[in-house]
């Protein structure tokens, strides 16, 4: 992995490869024993193309803190089922071969899970478990088409709620994190998807629980090139694991925040 002497405030990395001869060491260990688990200790992303292709198991520990050794051991020996989700997208090594002076997240192949169009090693929200889960919409939820007025949602007079029934279909007790994503299907330059809410529950083997996810104003709002943040009328797609639903926002756009001087400056320049 890496440490705070390799990356940190004021000393950025020029490469996201594993530093030194760590990858060669892993290759040598794999040559001796294919039943190998790689534990990554890192803060920022690492390009681990060879490892992701050739090593049967990877534990992303990040910077796990004082009790990190116990936590990793509990996962490796099966005392605890892993249930975390990646907090960022893990890119291939050539991702850094671009200009980082242009901070537009849409630049080139994009940045972050919201705009990256390349082939990620692992996407934001990726996670695995020692058990399996089944997801279903709550029986009292009609998901074919929900329709809300932009102004009412923006003023929080209406709440857009989704309820998911999660069942542990395996044989191991485990936590599970349920992520809800939204995609604006008709808005130019909108993110590919955006996390709007999440829930986490512990399920014994065979147990079910309901997880409530809410699409609030911040999950629906988009910012245009003039710095205007608004909830805009149109069609949206809701994605929760392998479930999807359509959402329609109607009425006039509801402005949450604007920078009039930015729009004025843009008009003067053009």
């Amino acid at each position: 992995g890496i440490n705070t002497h390799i990356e940190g405030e004021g000393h950025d990395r020029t490469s996201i490869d594993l530093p030194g001869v760590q990858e060669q060491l892993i290759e040598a260990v794999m040559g001796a024993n294919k039943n190998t688990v790689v534990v990554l200790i890192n803060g920022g992303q690492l390009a681990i193309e060879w490892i992701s292709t050739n090593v049967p198991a990877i534990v992303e520990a990040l910077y796990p803190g004082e009790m990190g050794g116990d936590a990793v051991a509990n996962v490796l020996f099966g005392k605890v089922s892993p249930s975390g989700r990646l907090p960022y997208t893990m890119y291939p090594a050539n991702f850094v071969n671009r200009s980082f002076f242009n901070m537009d997240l849409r630049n080139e192949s994009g940045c972050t899970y919201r705009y990256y169009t390349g082939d990620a090693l692992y996407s934001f929200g990726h996670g695995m478990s020692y058990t399996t889960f089944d997801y279903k919409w709550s029986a009292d939820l009609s998901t074919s088409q929900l329709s809300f007025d932009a102004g009412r949602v923006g003023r929080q007079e209406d709440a857009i709620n989704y309820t998911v029934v999660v069942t542990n279909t395996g044989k191991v007790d485990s936590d599970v994190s349920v992520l809800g994503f939204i995609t604006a299907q008709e808005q130019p330059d909108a993110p590919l998807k955006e996390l709007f809410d999440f829930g986490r529950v512990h399920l014994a083997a065979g147990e079910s629980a309901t997880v409530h996810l809410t699409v609030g104003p911040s999950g629906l709002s988009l910012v245009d090139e003039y710095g205007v943040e608004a909830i805009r009328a149109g069609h949206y797609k809701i994605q929760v694991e392998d479930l999807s639903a359509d959402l329609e926002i109607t009425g006039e756009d509801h402005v949450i925040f604007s920078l009039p001087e930015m729009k004025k400056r843009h008009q003067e320049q053009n």
Side-chain angles (χ1 to χ4, degrees):
I2 53 180
N3 57 38
T4 54
H5 295 291
I6 295 173
E7 63 164 4
E9 192 69 31
H11 52 285
D12 296 333
R13 293 175 290 160
T14 58
S15 168
I16 55 175
D17 288 317
L18 278 171
V21 296
Q22 293 184 73
E23 188 163 299
Q24 292 94 312
L25 172 62
I26 294 168
E27 291 180 18
V29 172
M30 281 291 295
N33 186 350
K34 298 296 184 182
N35 297 318
T36 296
V37 179
V38 169
V39 179
L40 298 176
I41 306 293
N42 57 295
Q45 293 98 322
L46 288 171
I48 52 169
E49 283 118 313
W50 189 90
I51 296 171
S52 65
T53 302
N54 294 279
V55 176
I58 304 168
V59 175
E60 174 58 272
L62 300 172
Y63 290 142
E66 185 175 356
M67 300 301 294
D70 289 348
V72 171
N74 286 340
V75 168
L76 292 179
F77 290 99
K79 186 176 180 180
V80 174
S81 174
S83 57
R85 300 295 190 117
L86 267 181
Y88 43 54
T89 294
M90 296 186 74
Y91 306 105
N94 62 10
F95 175 78
V96 301
N97 299 333
R98 57 168 65 200
S99 172
F100 283 93
F101 293 104
N102 185 343
M103 298 308 294
D104 184 349
L105 295 182
R106 305 174 185 85
N107 182 36
E108 298 187 31
S109 60
C111 266
T112 78
Y113 79 97
R114 299 170 68 224
Y115 296 102
Y116 184 60
T117 57
D119 294 325
L121 299 182
Y122 300 99
S123 298
F124 167 82
H126 177 83
M128 301 184 73
S129 173
Y130 291 150
T131 188
T132 54
F133 299 97
D134 178 69
Y135 303 87
K136 288 184 172 62
W137 294 120
S138 173
D140 60 352
L141 177 67
S142 174
T143 61
S144 59
Q145 181 72 67
L146 296 181
S147 182
F148 290 84
D149 176 77
R152 291 186 60 84
V153 173
R155 294 187 296 270
Q156 298 186 322
E157 296 170 5
D158 286 336
I160 305 175
N161 298 312
Y162 291 89
T163 303
V164 180
V165 178
V166 188
T167 302
N168 183 343
T169 55
K171 299 180 180 180
V172 177
D173 299 352
S174 179
D175 281 13
V176 57
S177 299
V178 182
L179 310 183
F181 292 94
I182 187 170
T183 300
Q185 297 181 294
E186 300 158 346
Q187 305 297 336
D189 296 328
L192 301 172
K193 64 178 182 178
E194 188 164 12
L195 182 72
F196 67 82
D197 201 1
F198 68 93
R200 184 182 177 110
V201 293
H202 181 82
L203 294 175
E207 184 182 8
S208 297
T210 56
V211 176
H212 302 279
L213 305 175
T214 300
V215 187
S218 62
L220 276 172
S221 64
L222 298 169
V223 180
D224 67 15
E225 60 183 318
Y226 305 118
V228 177
E229 180 184 5
I231 297 175
R232 308 182 191 282
H235 293 90
Y236 297 76
K237 180 69 71 176
I238 300 295
Q239 193 79 34
V240 180
E241 301 302 325
D242 57 349
L243 305 176
S244 65
D246 296 318
L247 171 64
E248 182 183 27
I249 299 299
T250 61
E252 297 293 327
D253 293 353
H254 177 80
V255 176
I256 296 175
F257 179 79
S258 65
L259 292 170
E261 64 275 11
M262 182 182 291
K263 186 171 184 178
K264 180 180 179 182
R265 191 180 305 120
H266 180 84
Q267 290 172 337
E268 290 173 349
Q269 292 173 349
N270 293 277

